[in-house]
Amino acid sequence: MTAYVVVRATVSDPQAYEAYKAAAQASIAEAGGRYLIRGGDMTTLEGTGDPRRMVVLEFPDRAAAQAWYDGPAYQHAKTLRAGIAEMDAQIVEGA
C-alpha cells in the first residue's frame, strides 16, 4: 500500500535551509519517493490553521518510506537541518 510522509516544519534560517532541501530532495529521489506537496500558499478552511511549512512525500509502501528516513542519505540531510528547522513527521498509509 502506498505510504506518505507528512511533515510540518518551522524554519528559522531559510538561507541555511536550502542546503537541507537539496540533500533531502536527493535522498527522497534515491529512495524511490516523490514530492506531492512542498511548501506553497495555504488557506485554512476549518480550525485555527497551522502556519508551518507543509511537505507531503509519496513512497511505494511503508517499508520504502521507513528505509528512506533511516537511510544514510537522509540521516546526512538531517544533520544539515539541525538548529535551523523543527519538524513533525509521520508515515501514513493510504490510497
Side-chain angles (χ1 to χ4, degrees):
M1 175 178 286
T2 303
Y4 302 90
V5 176
V6 180
V7 178
R8 299 300 296 224
T10 302
V11 178
S12 59
D13 186 341
Q15 278 188 306
Y17 190 71
E18 292 300 314
Y20 163 76
K21 281 176 29 181
Q25 182 174 350
S27 74
I28 292 161
E30 178 182 302
R34 69 183 185 114
Y35 286 94
L36 296 180
I37 299 170
R38 187 176 183 182
D41 290 333
M42 290 186 288
T43 300
T44 299
L45 299 175
E46 293 188 32
T48 59
D50 187 339
R52 295 179 295 169
R53 175 183 176 83
M54 177 180 276
V55 177
V56 177
L57 309 172
E58 180 183 55
F59 289 89
D61 54 35
R62 177 184 288 273
Q66 191 70 59
W68 159 74
Y69 183 81
D70 294 337
Y74 187 65
Q75 292 303 304
H76 168 70
K78 283 177 56 178
T79 67
L80 300 174
R81 190 186 79 209
I84 62 167
E86 295 292 325
M87 294 192 176
D88 292 326
Q90 292 82 34
I91 297 174
V92 181
E93 289 183 323

